[in-house]
């Protein structure tokens, strides 16, 4: 994947962690990627501190085949994302086509719900490591773990690596 040509979805839901959504979004745009924020609907979503993000696209209008990667920010947003079958299906389909799936912090919950954690090396915030383990993932307490097309990190402070 060449970054200037990459089509990347960044998922949004209420209670997202600010750095885990905005830092990847801005850095990927700086590299020339076409980054699209995707939410359950096109309504505005608030971060844990109330910082707003308005999706460019509702999940119902997002075609997984059009994306080279998806970034799933943490905070408490993954718990909300899991309530939308379309968001879980989107992540699974992006993964199944071999595209990159990046999960930060609590986003391991989405990987577990999507059924893509099984037999994969992953990291996440320690608070949800049991969910990842029970979903069949191999948890590693490391800043960043890559297993084929899955990239995971523990905390916002790990994003600079």
């Amino acid at each position: 994947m060449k970054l200037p040509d990459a089509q990347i979805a960044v998922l949004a839901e209420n209670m997202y962690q600010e750095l885990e959504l905005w830092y990847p979004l801005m850095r990927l745009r700086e590299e020339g990627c076409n980054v699209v924020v995707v939410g359950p609907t096109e309504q505005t979503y608030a971060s844990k501190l109330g910082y707003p993000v308005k999706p460019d696209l509702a999940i119902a209008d997002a075609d997984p085949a059009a994306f080279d990667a998806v970034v799933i920010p943490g905070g408490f947003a993954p718990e909300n994302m899991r309530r939308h079958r379309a968001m879980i299906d989107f992540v699974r389909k992006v993964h199944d086509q071999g595209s990159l799936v990046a999960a930060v912090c609590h986003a391991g919950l989405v990987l577990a719900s999507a059924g893509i954690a099984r037999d994969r090396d992953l990291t996440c915030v320690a608070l949800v490591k049991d969910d990842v383990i029970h979903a069949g993932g191999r948890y590693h307490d490391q800043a960043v773990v890559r297993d084929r097309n899955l990239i995971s990190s523990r905390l916002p402070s790990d994003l600079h690596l």
Side-chain angles (χ1 to χ4, degrees), residues 105-106 123-131 139 141 154-155:
C105 199
H106 286 75
T123 194
C124 57
V125 66
L127 186 63
V128 301
K129 77 176 185 178
D130 290 344
D131 297 88
Y139 172 78
D141 186 15
R154 293 177 303 197
L155 301 166

Side-chain angles (χ1 to χ4, degrees), residues 122-123 141-146 151-154 158-159 161:
L122 301 166
T123 194
D141 186 15
Q142 297 173 358
V144 176
V145 173
R146 179 162 186 179
I151 302 170
S152 54
S153 66
R154 293 177 303 197
D158 295 332
L159 294 174
L161 298 175

Side-chain angles (χ1 to χ4, degrees), residues 13-145:
E13 234 299 5
N14 281 317
M15 300 297 288
Y16 70 88
Q17 204 288 338
E18 297 78 14
L19 289 174
E20 295 171 12
L21 185 145
W22 290 104
Y23 186 75
L25 182 144
M26 290 188 292
R27 292 293 298 128
L28 290 165
R29 284 184 176 162
E30 286 174 358
E31 293 298 323
C33 301
N34 180 35
V35 182
V36 177
V37 177
V38 178
T41 68
E42 290 183 42
Q43 77 177 41
T44 299
Y45 295 92
S47 73
K48 289 170 53 177
L49 299 176
Y51 194 79
V53 64
K54 182 162 178 29
D56 303 299
L57 201 57
I59 194 69
D61 300 320
D63 177 8
F67 291 95
D68 300 300
V70 61
V71 176
I72 312 162
F76 301 115
E79 188 63 39
N80 293 325
M81 289 175 196
R82 291 168 69 167
R83 298 174 187 177
H84 303 281
R85 174 56 42 201
M87 293 193 86
I88 299 302
D89 291 344
F90 178 84
V91 170
R92 183 182 321 98
K93 288 175 183 174
V94 169
H95 168 270
D96 289 351
Q97 70 193 18
S99 297
L100 288 175
V101 176
V104 186
C105 199
H106 286 75
L109 294 172
V110 174
L111 303 181
S113 291
I116 59 176
R118 179 164 306 287
D119 297 325
R120 302 300 288 273
D121 293 308
L122 301 166
T123 194
C124 57
V125 66
L127 186 63
V128 301
K129 77 176 185 178
D130 290 344
D131 297 88
V132 168
I133 292 167
H134 292 302
R138 294 183 296 267
Y139 172 78
H140 300 276
D141 186 15
Q142 297 173 358
V144 176
V145 173

